[in-house]
């Protein structure tokens, strides 16, 4: 079987294939590696890191919804220091691209995290989370504000020469304006989309089903929204897009690439099928063969309107 | 840990809404220990989207048994499986009961469907361990005796056995085993586990509790199933650090 070239470039970041695992759905790689060969996928994005460890939100943190789920984990993480000491040694041996996600409560914290992590060779790129819907400080306060996103991009850019990806919120009216400011301030790419704000009530107790009241909606339920956001960015701004939102299989991946995504991230599906990434890479090979596509990257933004 | 497509051998009712499912799952069967669990995808479609966690009830050679109540859409679909249907099982997951060591009497404390993990535990307990089982249910129509040994029953309405809850029943029998070296193994609703936690700490009895929570992945990546540690300054994950905890480790 002749294998197609599945590699893609996100700015200067070269990926052997476009399949990444999304932040917050793969931990720091160790648990999921018992079910799947991470060296076969394009890379992983580690759980959002803050300067200090975060305990996260009290239970209940998740609830299932039609074709999706709501989560309000609250950025539970080990903090930058423990990440370098305890998690990097494992990540180093994975033979896959490591993108380190950072979430912070202030612009200064974003910059400080980046400065501390920047010298770590194992980290190939940074993804900046300006769009977590489940924390009081930072998160959507930044993600909804063009000036903040621009300022964070500019400041973090000055702290690293590694590829810089900004993860955008869908909870805005014009996502392409956010992508534009990321490009203007020196960002290499955008990830779209983070989760949509949602909620769910127990009709017998009249209480919200998650303690945080609202959470982030993910899963197949949000795929059409995510595709529309990717398309909007693609048609308005010349910047690489990493498509995220309800991808379950290789067909969804192809759809995102046609809509304009250079690469994709798998999220919720990892909880259901931790080997989904490898299966999608195999599916992309056979799709390209059937379609006589030599380079998968030719598919990016190839929509016919 | 495996993701194993498993063929249904049979499914039968223990009570009108309580089922026992037997599936052919040789890889998981060769590894799973009492108190561990599996995360089961009950349909191939996106509805329901997530897997459902179930304790292992029994292992019979290369077959797994799961006991469950029909509680929502997922368990309803599972209860309608037929012989030769295939279900997708991820496991074994979590930490099971620690049942080895120096004690003479195993006290089994089960509340309702919390009985599910105990047939396998009883199967695995060494012959020299004395077993006394306690089951608590709402009424005589909710009593499950499957796989139990030396069983004492309590019901809330007193329609069979002791009138009261299962922890009150255990307390009423405490004089019997006060002077023996005892280890309690418990599974059931949170108020029951909490009462038992207090009882065991007060009387300095070793006690292991099997906890439950909504969860997505079942192996530590979604972070959806936290439980307070005893000091209340951090969380354990029920899926990965549990589901069985020493009663002294957690705040219920």
């Amino acid at each position: 079987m002749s294998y197609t070239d599945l590699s893609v470039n996100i700015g200067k970041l070269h990926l052997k294939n476009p399949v990444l695992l999304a932040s917050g759905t793969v931990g720091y790689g160790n648990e999921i590696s018992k079910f799947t060969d991470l060296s076969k996928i394009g890379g992983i994005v580690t759980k959002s890191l803050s300067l200090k460890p975060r305990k996260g939100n009290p239970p209940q943190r998740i609830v299932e919804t039609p074709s999706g789920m709501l989560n309000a984990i609250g950025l539970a993480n080990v903090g930058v220091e423990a990440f370098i000491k305890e998690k990097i040694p494992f990540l180093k041996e994975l033979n896959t691209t490591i993108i380190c996600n950072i979430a912070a409560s202030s612009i200064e914290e974003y910059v400080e995290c980046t400065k501390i992590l920047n010298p770590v060779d194992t980290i190939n790129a940074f993804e900046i989370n300006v769009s977590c819907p489940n924390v009081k400080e930072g998160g959507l306060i930044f993600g909804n504000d063009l000036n903040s996103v621009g300022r964070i991009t500019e400041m973090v850019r000055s702290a690293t020469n590694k590829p810089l990806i900004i993860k955008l919120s869908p909870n805005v009216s014009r996502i392409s304006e956010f992508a534009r400011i990321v490009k203007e301030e020196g960002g290499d790419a955008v990830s779209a989309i983070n989760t949509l704000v949602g909620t769910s009530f127990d009709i017998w107790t009249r209480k919200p089903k998650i303690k945080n009241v609202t959470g982030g909606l993910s899963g197949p339920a949000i795929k059409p929204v995510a595709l529309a956001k990717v398309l909007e960015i693609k048609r308005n701004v010349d910047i690489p897009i990493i498509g995220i939102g309800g991808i379950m299989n290789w067909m969804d991946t192809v759809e995102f690439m046609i809509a304009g995504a250079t690469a994709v991230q798998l999220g919720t599906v990892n909880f259901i099928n931790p080997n989904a990434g490898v299966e999608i890479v195999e599916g992309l090979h056979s799709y390209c063969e059937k379609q006589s596509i030599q380079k998968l990257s030719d598919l990016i933004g190839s929509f016919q309107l | 840990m495996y993701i194993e497509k498993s063929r249904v051998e049979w499914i039968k009712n223990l009570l009108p809404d309580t089922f026992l499912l037997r599936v052919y799952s040789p890889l998981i069967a060769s590894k799973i220990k009492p108190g561990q669990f599996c995360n089961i995808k009950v349909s191939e479609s996106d509805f329901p989207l997530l897997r459902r966690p179930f304790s292992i009830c029994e292992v019979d050679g290369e077959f797994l048994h799961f006991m469950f109540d029909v509680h929502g859409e997922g368990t309803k679909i599972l209860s309608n499986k037929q012989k030769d249907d295939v279900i997708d099982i991820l496991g074994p997951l979590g930490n099971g009961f620690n049942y080895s060591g120096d004690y003479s009497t195993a006290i089994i404390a089960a509340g309702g469907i919390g009985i599910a993990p105990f047939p396998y535990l009883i199967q695995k307990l060494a012959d020299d361990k004395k077993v006394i089982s306690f089951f608590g249910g709402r009424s005589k129509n909710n009593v499950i005796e499957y796989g139990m040994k030396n069983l004492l029953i309590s019901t809330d309405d007193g329609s069979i056995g002791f009138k009261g809850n299962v922890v009150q029943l255990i307390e009423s029998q405490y004089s019997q085993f006060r002077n023996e070296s005892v280890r309690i193994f418990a599974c059931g609703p949170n108020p029951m586990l909490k009462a038992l936690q207090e009882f065991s700490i007060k009387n300095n009895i070793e006690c292991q509790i099997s906890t439950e929570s909504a969860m997505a992945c079942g192996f530590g990546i979604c972070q959806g199933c936290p439980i307070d540690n005893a000091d209340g300054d951090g969380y354990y994950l029920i899926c990965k650090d549990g589901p069985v905890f020493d009663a002294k480790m957690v705040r219920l």
Side-chain angles (χ1 to χ4, degrees), chain B residues 115-131:
Chain B
I115 195 175
F118 293 125
Y120 189 31
L121 176 65
I122 291 172
Q123 210 178 32
K124 284 285 190 181
L125 280 170
D127 291 338
D128 64 341
K129 303 280 187 233
K130 183 172 149 195
V131 178

Side-chain angles (χ1 to χ4, degrees), chain A residues 164-235:
Chain A
L164 176 61
I165 304 155
I166 308 293
K167 187 169 182 177
L168 299 179
S169 170
N171 303 295
V172 297
S173 48
R174 290 284 293 169
I175 198 171
S176 51
E177 290 173 13
F178 288 82
R180 189 185 315 278
I181 204 153
V182 167
K183 183 179 164 75
E184 284 169 6
E185 297 299 344
D188 294 292
V190 291
S191 294
I193 54 177
N194 207 323
T195 54
L196 288 149
V197 174
T199 189
S200 177
F201 281 89
D202 181 318
I203 60 166
W204 306 108
T205 63
R206 305 187 191 184
K207 289 183 173 172
K209 287 185 182 171
I210 40 180
K211 185 85 172 174
N212 192 55
V213 185
T214 57
L217 180 65
S218 66
I222 73 166
K223 193 183 87 172
V225 178
L227 280 166
K229 299 288 185 190
V230 167
L231 183 64
E232 184 198 319
I233 298 168
K234 185 67 187 173
R235 294 176 81 182

Side-chain angles (χ1 to χ4, degrees), chain B residues 56 84 98 100 102 114 214:
Chain B
I56 182 68
D84 295 331
N98 173 13
S100 62
D102 190 22

Side-chain angles (χ1 to χ4, degrees), chain B residues 98-109:
Chain B
N98 173 13
Y99 54 91
S100 62
D102 190 22
Y103 63 101
S104 65
T105 305
I107 302 285
I108 308 290

Side-chain angles (χ1 to χ4, degrees), chain B residues 152-173:
Chain B
L152 297 170
I153 293 165
S154 70
T155 50
D156 296 342
D157 63 4
S159 52
I160 189 172
F162 177 86
K163 185 176 189 313
N165 68 44
V166 71
V167 182
Q168 291 165 335
L169 173 60
I170 291 170
E171 282 171 333
S172 76
Q173 300 293 311

Side-chain angles (χ1 to χ4, degrees), chain B residues 25-88:
Chain B
S25 204
L27 291 173
I28 296 173
S30 70
K31 290 274 191 276
I32 196 160
K33 298 188 180 81
Q36 287 190 299
F37 70 101
C38 294
N39 217 359
I40 299 180
K41 183 85 171 86
V42 299
S43 76
E44 283 181 27
S45 75
D46 293 342
F47 180 80
L49 182 66
L50 301 176
R51 292 172 182 271
R52 296 287 186 274
F54 296 94
S55 289
I56 182 68
C57 178
E58 244 175 348
V59 176
D60 179 15
E62 297 183 317
F63 292 88
L64 305 175
H65 292 180
F66 296 100
M67 191 196 292
F68 62 95
D69 273 351
V70 172
H71 189 71
E73 292 298 334
T75 42
K76 194 169 162 191
I77 292 168
L78 194 60
S79 72
N80 287 324
K81 295 292 172 192
Q82 311 275 328
K83 181 175 162 56
D84 295 331
D85 283 352
V86 172
I87 54 176
D88 182 310

